[in-house]
Every structure is written in structure tokens, then in C-alpha cells.
């Protein structure tokens, strides 16, 4: 199998590339900074330098390929986040249309069945629609909230022992580790299925945000509070750390839509294996330690 992977330096793309190389696949990576994927290149991955939003770069990568893993990364500083996502989807769709036998596995999101009112998830909804119109073999993966999202709160955890959110701490969700998402993506890339499909991905347990804070705190020897604040305050805090006002507004809109987003509408469901306790011990605690050392 010849498989193209986008975002190979990200949480999911990097794990996916390693899984595929472990299973002896022919892997091509699209990387803005090839020097950051030298470890993968040393294992046999071919690297194409450039932006995967560039149709010429994507065309070069998928020529002769069997499958493509597509991920639209969030642009936290964009003043038009949904427009950025839409333009990326349109660029990719223009290439997918030229390769009717290409199997595409697209990372979407829980809640992408909704056309509006879900913040940045609307971009995933639009990408699903554009990809299905362009290609005949599209698998859209809709994972629930990533466990790794706790890292967005590292500054406030380090400085104030707190996670700030507009969602009540009692709200529960089946948080999913990106390792498990990568495993599901590998499944559909290595054993492609024809047609259009939507796959929900959830974690092995539902935990509340309060439990999330407690478990993460135990892993680093601190008491972490989950503090619920009004959306306007959260937007202001996010912009103070460099996020664009437009992206901050979308993220608050997403949090306000949290109950609706949890609905599962896919035809199949995959359940991950990594518990939040394992994630907190093996991923969050080392990441927290590195961040503290860097800040010192």
C-alpha cells in the first residue's frame, strides 16, 4: 500500500506515520519542515516539502498512491478560521476529484453532522461535504474531544493550578487519546473500504472535566481545579495568549454546543483502549515536566 500522510509532525499524523512504517507500508509525508521528520525519513518514509493545502504539492504526493490521510490543522491565529478550513478543503477536493480510485481517510470531529453553531467543527462539516462530492471512497473519522487538549491549559495549570472553561465541570465526555485515533486511521488506510462512510471514535470511559482535572493533578502531584467562567471572559483570556479573537469566539461557541456535539451519528463506532489515567501518567505528566523545565 502506498499511503500519503499529512501533518506528520502533529499528535495524530506522527503516530499514524510510525504505525504505518511499523507495518511496512510505503509512506509519503507532506511536511512544511522536512527537518522535523528526519526520524521518519530514516525509517524509509518519502518526504515531500510543502504545504498540503497547496494543490500542486498534494498532487505530487498522491500520484500513484492508494490512500490519503487528510487532516485540516486549526489555525489559532487566523482572522478567518472557517474560511481557511474551507479553502484547504476546496484545494484538496480539486485533487481528489482527479484520482477517482484514491481512498481518503479524513480526520473530522464529533459534531460534524451539524452544519452550524459548533465553532471550528463547522469546518470539518464543510470538509466532509466537499470530499464526498469530490471522491467516491471517503471515510470520515469523528473522534470525540482529544485527551491531548489538556495541554492547551498548561500555562494556567503551571501558573494557577487551574483549567479555565465555560463548560460546567460536571459535564462528562468519552475523551479519546490521539494514539487510539491514529490506530483507527491506520485500520482504514491499510484495509480500505469503498464508498462514503462515517466512523465515530470514543474513549473507553466517560469522565467529567472535574475528574479530568483530578486525574491530571494526581499524575503531577498537584491539585488542579476546573474553573467555569463566562464565555466572554474565556475569549478574553484566550486572546491574551495570542489566539485570534475570531478563533477564540469559535472555540467558545463550540463549548456552548458541547451537549449536542456528543451525539453519535456515524454508521460505525470504534472505542479506544487508552484510559485517561494512562494518558495522564504516560503523556501528560512528562509533557508537564518538560514545560516546567522550559519555563524555568
Amino acid at each position: 500500500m502506498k499511503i500519503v500522510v499529512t501533518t506528520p509532525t502533529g499528535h495524530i499524523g506522527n503516530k499514524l506515520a510510525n504505525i504505518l512504517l511499523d507495518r511496512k507500508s510505503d509512506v509519503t509525508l507532506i511536511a512544511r519542515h522536512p527537518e522535523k521528520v528526519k526520524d521518519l525519513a530514516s525509517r524509509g518514509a518519502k518526504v515531500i516539502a510543502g504545504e498540503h493545502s497547496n494543490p500542486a504539492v498534494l498532487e505530487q504526493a498522491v500520484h500513484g498512491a492508494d490512500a490519503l490521510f487528510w487532516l485540516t490543522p486549526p489555525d489559532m491565529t487566523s482572522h478567518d478560521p472557517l474560511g481557511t478550513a474551507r479553502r484547504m478543503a476546496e484545494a484538496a477536493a480539486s485533487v481528489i476529484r482527479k484520482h477517482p480510485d484514491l481512498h481518503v481517510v479524513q480526520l473530522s470531529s464529533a459534531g460534524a453532522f451539524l452544519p452550524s453553531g459548533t465553532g471550528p467543527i463547522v469546518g470539518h462539516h464543510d470538509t466532509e461535504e466537499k470530499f464526498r462530492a469530490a471522491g467516491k471512497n471517503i471515510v470520515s473519522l469523528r473522534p470525540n474531544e482529544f485527551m491531548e487538549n489538556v495541554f492547551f491549559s498548561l500555562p494556567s495549570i503551571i501558573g494557577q493550578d487551574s483549567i479555565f472553561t465555560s463548560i460546567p465541570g460536571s459535564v462528562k465526555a468519552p475523551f479519546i487519546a490521539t494514539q487510539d485515533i491514529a490506530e483507527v486511521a491506520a485500520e482504514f488506510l491499510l484495509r480500505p473500504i469503498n464508498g462514503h462512510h462515517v466512523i465515530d471514535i470514543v474513549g473507553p470511559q466517560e469522565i467529567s472535566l472535574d475528574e479530568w482535572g483530578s486525574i491530571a493533578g494526581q499524575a503531577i502531584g498537584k491539585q488542579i481545579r476546573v474553573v467555569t467562567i463566562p464565555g466572554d471572559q474565556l475569549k478574553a483570556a484566550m486572546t491574551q495568549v495570542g489566539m485570534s479573537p475570531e478563533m477564540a469566539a469559535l472555540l467558545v461557541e463550540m463549548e456552548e454546543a458541547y451537549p449536542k456535539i456528543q451525539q453519535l451519528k456515524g454508521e460505525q463506532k470504534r472505542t479506544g483502549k487508552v484510559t485517561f489515567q494512562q494518558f495522564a501518567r504516560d503523556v501528560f505528566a512528562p509533557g508537564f515536566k518538560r514545560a516546567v523545565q522550559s519555563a524555568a
Side-chain angles (χ1 to χ4, degrees), residues 11-32:
H11 284 301
I12 297 172
N14 187 264
K15 294 178 179 70
L16 174 60
N18 276 293
I19 292 169
L20 296 174
L21 290 168
D22 287 343
R23 298 177 189 177
K24 310 303 179 185
S25 297
D26 184 341
V27 178
T28 296
L29 311 174
I30 303 176
R32 286 185 297 168

Side-chain angles (χ1 to χ4, degrees), residues 17 21 25-29 37 39-47:
L21 290 168
S25 297
D26 184 341
V27 178
T28 296
L29 311 174
V37 292
D39 58 329
L40 297 171
S42 70
R43 298 190 60 199
K46 177 183 177 182
V47 180

